[in-house]
């Protein structure tokens, strides 16, 4: 094998062959390079702690968020159920009791 195959788990370029497998010295992942299937990455949204969010998750707002046209902000600690992930700057669509449909940024929520 003359070409360097980056680790599919951590992306390290320092992989090396061992018998029929490839080995990553950084994360200790071993894989057969002939069986590697390219996975579709799609939309990856992470919360403020780095946890990956998925459609249908519940999240908790971590900061008071002012809402244009509303007399009060969305309070920190508000639990939001059944989120939907979308492309864009505000990448979470949801419904919040007392406010209705909202678009939130993932940096202001944490996974519940």
């Amino acid at each position: 094998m003359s070409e360097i195959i980056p680790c599919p788990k951590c992306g390290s370029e320092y992989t090396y062959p061992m018998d029929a497998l490839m080995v990553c010295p950084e994360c200790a992942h071993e894989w057969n390079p002939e069986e590697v299937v390219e996975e579709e990455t799609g939309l990856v949204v992470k919360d403020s702690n780095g946890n990956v969010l998925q459609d249908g998750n519940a999240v908790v707002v971590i900061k008071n968020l002012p809402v244009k046209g509303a007399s009060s902000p969305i309070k920190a600690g508000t639990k939001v159920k059944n989120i939907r992930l979308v492309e864009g700057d505000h990448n979470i669509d949801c419904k919040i009791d007392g406010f209705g449909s909202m678009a939130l940024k993932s940096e202001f929520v944490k996974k519940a």
Side-chain angles (χ1 to χ4, degrees):
M1 298 195 141
S2 61
E3 64 185 65
I4 297 174
I5 302 171
C7 177
K9 190 171 183 181
C10 71
S12 172
E13 297 178 359
Y14 301 108
T15 58
Y16 59 90
M18 183 171 57
D19 297 326
L21 299 176
M22 292 294 293
V23 179
C24 176
E26 293 184 12
C27 69
H29 181 64
E30 297 179 358
W31 74 98
N32 186 346
E34 296 174 1
E35 296 178 2
V36 172
V37 177
E38 293 295 324
E39 295 181 15
E40 185 176 324
T41 57
L43 178 63
V44 177
V45 177
K46 295 184 178 183
D47 69 357
S48 62
N49 295 330
N51 297 320
V52 177
L53 298 174
Q54 297 177 351
D55 286 339
N57 281 118
V59 295
V60 177
V61 177
I62 61 170
K63 175 182 173 183
N64 286 349
L65 300 174
V67 179
K68 287 185 180 179
S71 61
S72 63
I74 298 172
K75 300 283 186 183
T78 302
K79 188 170 184 179
V80 181
K81 299 177 185 175
N82 200 17
I83 64 170
R84 193 177 78 224
L85 304 177
V86 295
E87 293 280 344
D89 187 32
H90 291 74
N91 46 13
I92 297 175
D93 276 345
C94 59
K95 289 185 181 177
I96 299 176
D97 294 337
F99 288 95
S101 295
M102 298 293 290
L104 300 173
K105 290 185 177 184
S106 60
E107 62 198 53
F108 298 120
V109 299
K110 67 178 182 178
K111 195 170 184 179

